[in-house]
Amino acid sequence: MSVTLVPLKQLVVCQSNIRSRPYTPESVAALAASIEKRGLLQAPLGYRKSKKQVALVGGGRRRAALLLLDKEGRMPDSLKSGIPVNLREGTQAEHLAASYDENMERVDLSPVEQFRAFQRLRDQGLSVEAIAIEMNVTPRMVRQRLSLSTLHQSILDAFEEGRFGIDILQAFTATENTERQLEVLNEMLNAYYKWSPHQLRRELVRDEITPSHRLVKFVGREAYESAGGSFTEDLFDESLSYCDNPDLLTELAQTKLEEHAAEIAEEGWKWVTPVITLVYSEIREFGRHYPEDRFRDEAAAKRDAEISTQLESLEARFQTETDDDALAKLGEEFDALESERETLSIEAFNDDQIAQSGVYVSVSQTGELSVERGLIRPEDQPAAPEAPSPTSADNEEASQTDGHNKAYRFSNRLAEDIDRALQAGIQHAIMDDPKTAFLLSTAHLAKITFNHSRRTVTISSESPANTASTIEVITSQKASDQYDAWSERLKNAECLLEELASWPEDDVKALHTFCAAHLYARSTHWGRSNNPESHHTLRTLLGFKPENHFSADTALFGHFTKGQIATACGIMDSTMAPVTNAKKSDMIPLAVKLAAKTGWLPSAFTDETGYGLIAPSPAREDA
C-alpha cells in the first residue's frame, strides 16, 4: 500500500464502502472547516478502479468535504495539486473487509478525553468561544465538556471504567459540591436498581431552588428577575435551571409576607408574625380560638328554626319508609335543607378572641399565602378551668337544646369532608399493601373486561390532588412525597410502556401499588354508604386502623358544634361531659384530652355504616 496524489475529480465512492447513509450537511461542513484549518490529517483509503478513477473504500465524508471546499474556493494550497490516497491492491471481498476495518477500528474520544483536551486549551488562555472556533464545535459543547472539571475524580474514574453512561456522567454536573457528588455516587452504585439521570439530578439538587420552588411561585419569577435575580440553566438539560440568588429570593418573600401581615394586623389581632416556613411542631403548645357560628340576621335565625322542624319530620318519615324511590327523594330533600341551613350562618371570631390571640402568616408548600388565625401563645393562655360535672339532667337538657340531629349527625358539608379524608386514609393504607393493591386493580380490570353487573368499590376519576379535605390526614405528607417522587421520575418519559420496561421489576411493582391506591374512591349519600360491604371487605384486607391516619385533635373538634362536642364527651366519659353553656373554646381541650385517653374517633371514621355520624344515636339503636 502506498500514498499517491490523486486529482479530486478522479475520486469516487466505492460500492464496497460500508457507509450507506448520507452524510449530514452539518457533519460535512464541520469536517471541511477542519481540513481548511489543519489540512487533511488522515488520507482516504482506495484502489485504482481505472486509469481515470480511484474508488474510495474509506473516506467518503472526507471526499464530500473536499468537494465542498473546492466548490467554495477554500481548498488549502497543499491539496490543490492532488489528494493523498492510500492505494491498495486486492479483491472486492478484501476491499469490503478494508472498508469495515477502516470504519470500525477507529475509536472516538470519550467525553472525558474531550474535556481534558479543552481544558489544556483553556489553561493556555483561550476563551470558550475561541476553543469552539479552534475545535470546530459549538460554545455550548465546550461549556458542557469543561463542566466536567467540577466532578470528583472518583466519578470520572467510574465512568471510564464503564460503570455508567454519558447521561449519568453529565447529570453529576448539576452540583459543584464534590462531597455531595461522592455521597450520591456511592448511594447510586450500591442501589439495587438502575438510577435514571433525572433521579440522579433530583438527589443532587434537592436543596437547590428551581423555578417550581414554592418561594419562586409565591414571589413570582418576573418579580424576582426584575429585582436582579437570575437562574442558571443546566448545561445538559434545558428544562432545568437553578436560582442564582437565593438570599434575594428569601428577602423578597419575607417582604411580601410582611405586607400581607400588615393588612391582617388591621383586623385587630394581638400579634401578627410573618415567617417563611411555619413549623407546626413549634406551635404545638399554642392554644387556639375557633370562629363561632352565628346567624347572618334575625330572618336567618327564624328560617333555621323552620328547617329544624322540617328535618325532624323527614327523619321520622325516613325511619318508616321502605320504598327506594321515596327514600332517595327524602334524602334529596334532607340534603337541600342542610345545604340551605349552612348558608344561614357565618363563621367569625369575636372581639375577645381577636384581642387575646394572634396570626402566623407563611408560605405554603404550594407557594400560596397561608394564614393561621386564632393562635394563643402559652403565656397568653388563661388558667385551665376545672372540668364541669353536670348532672344527668344537664346532659338530657343539652341533647334537647341542640336537637336530635345536630347532636349525633354532622352537617352534610362536614360529612362529605370527613368522607374525603377517609378516602385519603384508605388510599394511603393501600400504598403500603402491594397484595391488596393488586387485588383492587385486578378487580377493576375484571369489571371492565367482563362488564360485571355487581358493584365493587368505586374507581376514582380524580387525581390525588383533588381529594383534598380540610380534615387532617396524618399520612398525607408521606403520600405526597411518594407522588412527587414518582411524578418526577416519569415526567420526561415519551413512552410510558418503554420507560417501565427498562425499570427493575421491584420498581414497577412499587409504582403499581402506588397507582392502584388511587383507583379507590368513596361515593356516599346521606344516611347510607355506597356499597358498604365492598368497602368493609377492603378495610378488612388492609387491616385498616383509622387511628393510624386520623386523630381527634383540636383541629377536628374545631369542626364540631358545641352540642356535638358535648355528645362526643358523653360517649367517651359520661361523668365528664361539658355543659352546653360553656364556651366552645373551653370544651375543645377537654374533648381532646378524653379522645387521647380513650382513642375515640367518630363513627364516620370507624364504621362503614356510620357516614355523617358522630356515633349511632340512641333513637337509631332502639329502632
Side-chain angles (χ1 to χ4, degrees):
M1 185 168 61
S2 60
V3 177
T4 304
L5 292 178
V6 180
L8 177 60
K9 63 182 180 180
Q10 291 186 8
L11 298 180
V12 296
V13 177
C14 174
Q15 293 181 350
S16 298
N17 192 317
I18 62 172
R19 294 282 190 184
S20 58
R21 289 182 298 176
Y23 308 111
T24 64
E26 293 79 10
S27 70
V28 172
L31 182 55
S34 174
I35 294 173
E36 181 182 16
K37 181 179 295 185
R38 300 182 181 85
L40 189 62
L41 301 179
Q42 182 180 2
L45 178 65
Y47 66 92
R48 180 68 66 176
K49 184 178 183 181
S50 66
K51 289 183 178 181
K52 295 185 177 182
Q53 281 191 331
V54 170
L56 300 180
V57 296
R61 189 163 70 100
R62 278 163 279 178
R63 172 182 175 272
L66 291 166
L67 289 173
L68 178 62
L69 291 172
D70 186 61
K71 178 182 178 180
E72 297 180 352
R74 297 159 49 203
M75 183 70 77
D77 292 339
S78 61
L79 299 175
K80 287 180 179 179
S81 59
I83 309 301
V85 179
N86 283 311
L87 291 179
R88 55 174 288 121
E89 302 291 338
T91 64
Q92 286 297 322
E94 290 173 332
H95 294 324
L96 178 62
S99 176
Y100 179 87
D101 288 344
E102 207 268 351
N103 285 281
M104 293 299 296
E105 296 302 323
R106 182 176 55 207
V107 178
D108 292 332
L109 290 176
S110 74
V112 175
E113 290 169 329
Q114 289 178 333
F115 146 64
R116 289 170 180 154
F118 291 172
Q119 187 63 52
R120 291 191 187 102
L121 294 175
R122 186 72 164 166
D123 292 342
Q124 294 174 16
L126 272 68
S127 66
V128 168
E129 290 71 19
I131 295 173
I133 294 172
E134 183 68 23
M135 305 302 285
N136 198 38
V137 294
T138 64
R140 182 179 179 83
M141 181 181 179
V142 175
R143 292 189 183 93
Q144 287 177 337
R145 293 296 176 258
L146 290 176
S147 70
L148 301 183
S149 66
T150 65
L151 299 184
H152 193 283
Q153 185 60 42
S154 296
I155 297 173
L156 299 177
D157 292 343
F159 170 75
E160 294 193 302
E161 291 168 5
R163 303 191 68 178
F164 48 79
I166 181 62
D167 289 345
I168 291 294
L169 179 70
Q170 293 170 345
F172 270 109
T173 65
T175 179
E176 295 184 3
N177 185 333
T178 54
E179 291 184 3
R180 180 64 182 153
Q181 290 173 0
L182 190 58
E183 178 184 345
V184 175
L185 172 68
N186 293 330
E187 184 178 348
M188 181 189 74
L189 294 179
N190 293 321
Y192 66 89
Y193 62 91
K194 184 179 179 180
W195 282 28
S196 68
H198 180 76
Q199 181 183 3
L200 175 59
R201 282 191 179 90
R202 191 169 184 270
E203 284 296 316
L204 289 166
V205 301
R206 61 188 179 191
D207 296 327
E208 298 285 343
I209 295 178
T210 66
S212 61
H213 192 274
R214 65 188 181 100
L215 292 188
V216 179
K217 292 180 179 178
F218 180 67
V219 171
R221 179 165 182 166
E222 184 177 348
Y224 165 69
E225 292 178 336
S226 297
S230 62
F231 290 90
T232 295
E233 181 183 291
D234 189 295
L235 285 170
F236 297 99
D237 188 341
E238 295 182 7
S239 66
L240 296 176
S241 57
Y242 309 103
C243 174
D244 296 324
N245 314 94
D247 291 342
L248 172 63
L249 181 64
T250 301
E251 180 183 341
L252 293 172
Q254 186 66 37
T255 299
K256 188 171 181 178
L257 283 174
E258 290 172 357
E259 292 173 355
H260 285 293
E263 294 177 3
I264 294 172
E266 294 179 1
E267 299 172 10
W269 297 95
K270 184 172 185 178
W271 52 268
V272 179
T273 302
V275 292
I276 296 289
T277 302
L278 179 59
V279 181
Y280 283 88
S281 61
E282 295 180 0
I283 62 170
R284 187 170 296 164
E285 302 302 321
F286 282 44
R288 188 156 197 161
H289 282 312
Y290 294 91
E292 297 180 347
D293 289 334
R294 61 181 67 173
F295 292 117
R296 295 182 179 276
D297 49 36
E298 292 183 6
K302 181 178 179 181
R303 177 55 184 156
D304 181 76
E306 295 172 352
I307 290 176
S308 294
T309 301
Q310 292 175 278
L311 290 176
E312 290 177 5
S313 174
L314 288 174
E315 173 72 11
R317 292 168 59 190
F318 191 88
Q319 298 295 330
T320 59
E321 185 61 69
T322 58
D323 182 73
D324 287 343
D325 291 338
L327 284 171
K329 186 175 181 180
L330 287 174
E332 291 173 1
E333 291 180 29
F334 195 98
D335 286 347
L337 288 171
E338 282 280 13
S339 297
E340 181 186 355
R341 185 181 221 169
E342 289 170 4
T343 66
L344 300 177
S345 61
I346 58 173
E347 288 188 341
F349 293 94
N350 61 43
D351 292 341
D352 291 339
Q353 291 174 324
I354 292 175
Q356 185 189 23
S357 59
V359 183
Y360 268 115
V361 184
S362 61
V363 181
S364 73
Q365 291 301 315
T366 58
E368 299 174 339
L369 181 69
S370 175
V371 181
E372 294 284 348
R373 290 180 170 88
L375 296 170
I376 310 171
R377 289 171 172 163
E379 61 268 25
D380 296 331
Q381 296 179 33
E386 294 184 5
S389 300
T391 64
S392 58
D394 290 328
N395 288 329
E396 181 178 354
E397 181 182 352
S399 178
Q400 293 174 350
T401 301
D402 282 333
H404 178 78
N405 291 322
K406 280 189 173 183
Y408 286 92
R409 177 174 290 118
F410 297 119
S411 68
N412 188 48
R413 179 185 299 173
L414 181 54
E416 291 177 355
D417 208 17
I418 289 176
D419 219 52
R420 284 193 293 269
L422 183 58
Q423 170 177 313
I426 293 178
Q427 285 178 341
H428 300 165
I430 296 171
M431 291 174 195
D432 292 329
D433 191 331
K435 183 177 179 180
T436 302
F438 181 74
L439 293 175
L440 178 65
S441 59
T442 303
H444 174 50
L445 291 173
K447 181 179 180 181
I448 295 174
T449 303
F450 303 107
N451 193 25
H452 207 283
S453 59
R454 293 183 62 83
R455 297 173 70 185
T456 183
V457 292
T458 305
I459 301 305
S460 175
S461 60
E462 299 178 325
S463 70
N466 291 334
T467 59
S469 166
T470 61
I471 306 299
E472 181 181 2
V473 185
I474 298 171
T475 46
S476 288
Q477 187 58 54
K478 175 184 174 183
S480 178
D481 290 344
Q482 290 185 40
Y483 180 85
D484 289 344
W486 288 121
S487 178
E488 285 289 331
R489 189 169 177 184
L490 290 169
K491 75 174 186 180
N492 292 326
E494 294 184 2
C495 173
L496 276 177
L497 186 60
E498 181 180 356
E499 172 73 14
L500 295 181
S502 69
W503 286 15
E505 184 178 358
D506 288 344
D507 285 20
V508 177
K509 288 181 179 179
L511 176 62
H512 172 268
T513 300
F514 181 82
C515 294
H518 293 100
L519 291 174
Y520 176 73
R522 301 177 66 80
S523 178
T524 49
H525 301 283
W526 167 76
R528 63 184 185 274
S529 174
N530 171 24
N531 197 15
E533 296 83 4
S534 186
H535 292 292
H536 177 74
T537 298
L538 180 60
R539 291 169 73 132
T540 302
L541 289 170
L542 291 168
F544 181 70
K545 297 180 178 179
E547 62 270 21
N548 293 340
H549 302 272
F550 310 100
S551 173
D553 54 12
T554 55
L556 180 63
F557 281 115
H559 292 281
F560 288 26
T561 64
K562 290 197 298 182
Q564 290 168 347
I565 296 175
T567 297
C569 288
I571 294 168
M572 292 185 279
D573 187 340
S574 60
T575 66
M576 295 185 65
V579 294
T580 56
N581 59 1
K583 290 184 178 180
K584 180 178 177 180
S585 57
D586 293 335
M587 297 168 69
I588 288 177
L590 179 60
V592 171
K593 182 177 180 181
L594 286 173
K597 180 180 179 181
T598 62
W600 178 85
L601 281 171
S603 292
F605 288 115
T606 60
D607 185 352
E608 277 301 329
T609 62
Y611 173 75
L613 296 177
I614 296 175
S617 68
R620 189 173 292 275
E621 289 178 339
D622 295 341

